[in-house]
Amino acid sequence: MTRLARPDVALRPSWAATVAEFEGGHIDGSGLGDLPGLDTTEAGCRRAVEHLLAQADPATRLPEDRVPCTFYWILADAPDGRDGAEEVVGHLALRHELNDWLHELGGHIGYSVRPSRRREGHAARALALALVEARELGLERVLVTCDEDNEASRRTIERNGGVLEDVRSGKRRYWIDLGA
């Protein structure tokens, strides 16, 4: 089963394993790219969690190039079959509004699944759950983008109702109508 959870230091071991699988590269939807000197120790995880949770708080003053955003960790049953055990399998960002850059290329929702847990349906289920959260924020439609050559993400977005508007700078731009 896949679910979204707010970042939590209690999940540090599997979060750290997820981060390590990206080998220092960019992790879509993680919100970690603007943290200087990211480390996955308990203290580093605590800083990351505080940083991520603050961005959804209306009282937080954000840099001009940022918008309010709720970050989630994508959780799934642990692969070893331990009853009730879950692990972090990815990251998801739900941006509450769009700035110019997000409207062009980034979208409302960004996500990534760790390489060892791909092709298990987690991205599709996480996106579906994020659409419910977006509705609760009062959004009527959301923009979700993916690289033009990312076939798996294209299928994920289309399965969740994404309608292609266009391709800009190598990004496929899909709108998903959230209905009433």
Side-chain angles (χ1 to χ4, degrees):
M1 182 161 135
T2 305
R3 71 181 184 93
L4 299 179
R6 298 300 306 275
D8 185 334
V9 176
L11 297 166
R12 189 200 67 78
S14 66
W15 170 76
T18 296
V19 169
E21 283 193 35
F22 287 92
E23 299 177 351
H26 177 74
I27 307 171
D28 288 334
S30 70
L32 302 174
D34 57 341
L35 274 178
L38 174 67
D39 73 76
T40 56
T41 65
E42 187 167 336
C45 181
R46 185 169 283 104
R47 279 191 299 278
V49 166
E50 290 169 0
H51 172 75
L52 297 173
L53 295 178
Q55 292 184 57
D57 183 350
T60 300
R61 186 178 170 112
L62 297 171
E64 280 188 37
D65 63 338
R66 300 277 188 226
V67 299
C69 181
T70 303
F71 289 98
Y72 296 96
W73 289 349
I74 303 169
L75 303 184
D77 296 335
D80 61 11
R82 287 177 289 141
D83 189 36
E86 293 180 306
E87 70 176 5
V88 176
V89 298
H91 300 88
L92 186 138
L94 172 56
R95 299 166 193 110
H96 303 185
E97 59 192 63
L98 297 177
N99 59 22
D100 290 341
W101 186 87
L102 291 171
H103 186 267
E104 283 294 309
L105 301 173
H108 284 96
I109 299 171
Y111 55 86
S112 60
V113 173
R114 69 196 278 183
S116 67
R117 297 298 304 266
R118 291 181 181 157
R119 297 180 176 252
E120 296 176 16
H122 299 301
R125 289 188 294 273
L127 179 54
L129 293 167
L131 296 175
V132 172
E133 297 295 328
R135 253 185 234 104
E136 290 182 13
L137 282 174
L139 298 175
E140 295 176 6
R141 66 184 195 142
V142 295
L143 177 66
V144 184
T145 70
C146 67
D147 290 338
E148 197 168 7
D149 63 352
N150 188 337
E151 189 68 22
S153 197
R154 179 193 63 77
R155 285 192 313 269
T156 292
I157 297 166
E158 290 174 356
R159 280 189 201 122
N160 276 283
V163 176
L164 181 66
E165 179 176 65
D166 59 16
V167 178
R168 299 181 189 179
S169 301
K171 293 283 188 183
R172 298 177 65 89
R173 299 174 67 254
Y174 291 89
W175 287 96
I176 301 175
D177 184 3
L178 300 179

